[in-house]
C-alpha cells in the first residue's frame, strides 16, 4: 500500500524510521506571495531580509540528502515567483532529488512549464473552485482563476500529466466550494490529474475566516461520496479518513519542514520550532527533538480516541489540526468524524 503523497510504501517508512533517515523534506525558499489566500497558513506573506540566502538553502539541501531524503517539496510563499527558482531546481536535480512544487501558477508561463517538465518536477497547482468568483474570493486576488487556468494550459502543453510528469490539483475543502467538489473530483480523474483535496488546518488566516470551515459530519459525507465515485467510476478503493482525501498523511515519520528563515518544524501545521539550521545541523535538530520522537512513536504516544481507533496502525489524523485546536500535538484529531463525541481531545 502506498502512503504519503502516493509515493512511499509502509515498508519504506518503517525502514526510514528505524534508521533515523528522512525520505523527503519540505522547504520554503521565500514566504513572498502575490496572492492573499483566505486560508493561508503563512502569517506574513511579504518575505524579508532575514530569509535564507541561496547558499544557506543549498547547504540544508545537501544535509537533507545526506540524511537520506530523495524528494524535496517546495512550498511558499509562491515558489514560481521566487527569482532563483531555476537555479535551485537545477541544483536539486544535480543532487539527485525528485521535486514537487505547490504553486498558484502565477509564474508558470510557457517557458517555465517547459523547464519544470525537463527536470521532471511534480506540480501541484492550487485550484479551489471552477467558479471564477469563488476562486478569486478564496485566493484574495481578482483574476486568480484565469491565472491558474493559464498555468494549467501551459503545463498541459509541456506534457503534463503523463507517467513521467505528475500533475495534481491542490484544493482546500471549505464551505464555498463544498457542493462542487464531487464534480471537480470526477473532472480531474477524467483528465488523469491527481486530485489533492485536504481539510483546512485552522491556523493563521484560516482562524480569521471561520466561515470557511467545514464540520466533521460534512467532511465525513464528502469523503464517503468521493470514495464511492472512485470505487464506481475509476476502480480505486481507499478508506475515507482525514485530512487527505484518498490518502494518509504520515509525514512526521519521514519528513520535516525548513521555513524561509531556517526554522525546522515537524510540518506546516505543527508550528513548533525544533531549532534553526543557522545554529545547528539538521541532523542534530531532528535527532535531538522530543517532538519528533513522540510523533515517530505515535502508537505509544497518541492520546484519546485516536489511540484506540481501528485505523490507528497507519493513521494518526492531522497532527496540525490537533496542535492548532488543542495546543497538544499528540491529542486526537478534532476534525475527524470518529472523534465527534470526544470532549477535550
Amino acid at each position: 500500500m502506498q502512503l504519503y503523497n502516493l509515493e512511499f510504501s509502509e515498508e519504506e517508512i518503517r525502514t526510514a524510521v528505524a534508521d533515523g533517515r528522512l525520505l523527503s523534506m519540505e522547504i520554503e525558499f521565500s514566504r513572498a506571495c502575490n496572492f492573499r489566500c483566505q486560508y493561508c497558513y503563512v502569517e506574513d506573506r511579504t518575505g524579508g531580509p532575514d530569509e535564507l540566502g541561496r547558499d544557506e538553502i543549498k547547504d540544508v539541501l545537501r544535509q537533507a540528502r545526506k540524511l537520506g531524503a530523495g524528494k524535496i517539496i517546495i512550498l511558499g510563499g509562491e515558489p514560481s515567483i521566487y527569482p532563483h527558482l531555476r537555479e535551485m531546481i537545477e541544483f536539486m536535480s544535480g543532487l539527485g532529488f525528485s521535486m514537487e512544487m505547490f504553486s498558484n501558477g502565477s509564474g508558470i508561463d510557457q517557458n517555465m512549464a517547459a523547464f519544470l517538465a525537463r527536470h521532471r518536477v511534480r506540480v501541484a497547482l492550487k485550484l479551489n473552485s471552477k467558479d471564477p468568483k469563488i476562486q478569486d474570493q478564496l485566493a484574495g486576488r481578482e483574476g486568480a482563476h484565469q491565472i491558474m487556468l493559464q498555468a494549467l494550459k501551459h503545463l498541459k502543453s509541456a506534457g503534463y500529466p503523463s507517467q513521467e510528469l505528475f500533475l495534481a490539483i491542490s484544493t482546500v475543502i471549505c464551505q464555498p466550494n463544498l457542493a462542487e467538489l464531487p464534480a471537480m473530483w470526477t473532472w480531474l480523474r477524467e483528465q488523469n490529474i491527481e486530485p489533492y483535496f485536504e481539510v483546512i488546518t485552522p491556523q493563521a488566516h484560516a482562524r480569521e475566516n471561520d466561515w470557511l470551515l467545514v464540520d466533521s459530519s460534512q467532511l465525513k459525507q464528502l469523503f464517503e461520496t468521493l470514495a464511492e465515485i472512485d470505487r464506481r467510476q475509476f476502480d480505486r478503493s481507499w478508506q475515507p479518513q482525514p485530512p487527505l482525501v484518498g490518502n494518509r498523511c504520515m509525514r512526521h515519520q519521514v519528513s520535516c519542514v525548513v521555513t524561509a528563515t531556517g526554522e525546522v518544524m515537524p510540518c506546516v501545521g505543527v508550528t513548533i520550532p525544533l531549532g534553526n539550521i543557522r545554529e545547528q545541523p539538521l541532523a542534530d535538530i531532528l535527532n535531538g527533538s522530543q517532538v519528533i520522537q513522540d510523533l515517530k512513536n505515535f502508537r505509544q504516544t497518541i492520546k484519546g480516541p485516536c489511540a484506540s481507533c481501528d485505523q490507528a496502525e497507519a493513521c494518526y489524523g492531522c497532527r496540525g489540526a490537533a496542535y492548532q485546536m488543542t495546543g497538544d500535538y499528540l491529542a486526537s484529531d478534532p476534525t475527524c468524524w470518529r472523534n465527534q463525541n470526544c470532549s477535550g481531545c
Side-chain angles (χ1 to χ4, degrees):
M1 177 179 293
Q2 296 295 112
L3 305 175
Y4 180 49
N5 282 1
L6 312 176
E7 289 189 279
F8 303 135
S9 69
E10 291 173 325
E11 179 59 30
E12 287 174 317
I13 292 174
R14 279 196 297 269
T15 301
V17 170
D19 294 343
R21 294 187 296 106
L22 293 174
L23 292 179
S24 70
M25 185 176 75
E26 302 172 52
I27 190 166
E28 302 169 348
F29 293 153
S30 173
R31 288 197 159 183
C33 188
N34 55 344
F35 281 19
R36 291 294 178 265
C37 295
Q38 305 296 314
Y39 52 86
C40 185
Y41 74 91
V42 177
E43 293 280 3
D44 181 6
R45 297 171 285 193
T46 59
D50 60 337
E51 292 191 336
L52 298 175
R54 285 175 286 170
D55 289 342
E56 291 176 306
I57 293 172
K58 289 176 181 178
D59 181 62
V60 75
L61 290 169
R62 291 189 193 97
Q63 293 182 54
R65 196 74 178 102
K66 288 181 179 179
L67 286 172
K71 176 182 177 183
I72 297 296
I73 302 167
I74 309 167
L75 306 176
E78 173 46 43
S80 70
I81 63 172
Y82 177 64
H84 311 294
L85 178 63
R86 290 177 183 248
E87 177 185 345
M88 291 304 165
I89 287 176
E90 289 171 346
F91 179 79
M92 289 186 286
S93 182
L95 290 178
F97 282 117
S98 66
M99 293 160 277
E100 182 168 297
M101 183 175 78
F102 282 75
S103 173
N104 65 32
S106 54
I108 302 180
D109 57 15
Q110 186 174 357
N111 290 333
M112 178 58 78
F115 175 83
L116 295 172
R118 284 198 302 274
H119 290 277
R120 302 291 186 265
V121 177
R122 295 161 56 96
V123 178
L125 188 64
K126 298 176 184 178
L127 180 65
N128 295 306
S129 176
K130 294 181 69 179
D131 183 321
K133 290 183 179 179
I134 294 175
Q135 177 57 60
D136 289 1
Q137 177 192 30
L138 292 174
R141 172 171 173 168
E142 187 176 352
H145 183 266
Q146 185 59 34
I147 288 171
M148 294 176 184
L149 290 187
Q150 280 295 111
L152 182 59
K153 177 182 176 181
H154 292 315
L155 289 166
K156 286 183 174 181
S157 295
Y160 289 87
S162 69
Q163 187 172 359
E164 292 185 335
L165 298 176
F166 175 90
L167 179 62
I169 291 294
S170 174
T171 303
V172 296
I173 300 167
C174 58
Q175 289 294 347
N177 68 7
L178 188 62
E180 69 174 295
L181 291 181
M184 190 169 170
W185 183 275
T186 303
W187 172 68
L188 293 170
R189 282 283 194 237
E190 289 173 345
Q191 299 180 83
N192 294 316
I193 298 174
E194 189 68 29
Y196 188 93
F197 288 14
E198 63 179 320
V199 178
I200 291 177
T201 303
Q203 67 186 99
H205 297 281
R207 282 190 179 275
E208 303 164 3
N209 297 294
D210 57 7
W211 52 274
L212 295 172
L213 302 182
V214 177
D215 67 40
S216 57
S217 62
Q218 292 175 303
L219 289 174
K220 180 176 186 289
Q221 181 177 358
L222 174 66
F223 274 60
E224 290 178 346
T225 297
L226 298 179
E228 183 68 7
I229 289 173
D230 260 4
R231 188 182 69 81
R232 286 183 175 274
Q233 298 184 37
F234 302 103
D235 195 29
R236 299 188 183 210
S237 181
W238 44 270
Q239 177 70 37
Q241 58 193 52
L244 304 175
V245 181
N247 200 354
R248 284 183 265 182
C249 175
M250 304 293 288
R251 60 169 41 90
H252 307 101
Q253 304 292 288
V254 296
S255 189
C256 66
V257 172
V258 177
T259 73
T261 55
E263 298 285 358
V264 179
M265 300 190 300
C267 69
V268 298
V270 183
T271 49
I272 302 173
L274 310 176
N276 194 295
I277 60 149
R278 285 170 165 158
E279 301 168 0
Q280 290 178 275
L282 181 62
D284 290 353
I285 293 172
L286 297 177
N287 292 335
S289 169
Q290 186 61 50
V291 176
I292 293 295
Q293 294 308 309
D294 287 344
L295 292 169
K296 285 188 174 183
N297 296 317
F298 69 97
R299 290 296 291 118
Q300 288 74 46
T301 57
I302 292 295
K303 304 171 184 176
C306 276
S308 57
C309 178
D310 59 7
Q311 299 297 315
E313 285 294 334
C315 176
Y316 46 42
C318 179
R319 296 297 89 217
Y323 179 69
Q324 296 296 331
M325 296 176 75
T326 73
D328 184 354
Y329 60 89
L330 296 173
S332 285
D333 178 1
T335 66
C336 182
W337 50 87
R338 298 169 185 267
N339 298 331
Q340 283 187 33
N341 297 321
C342 175
S343 176
C345 297

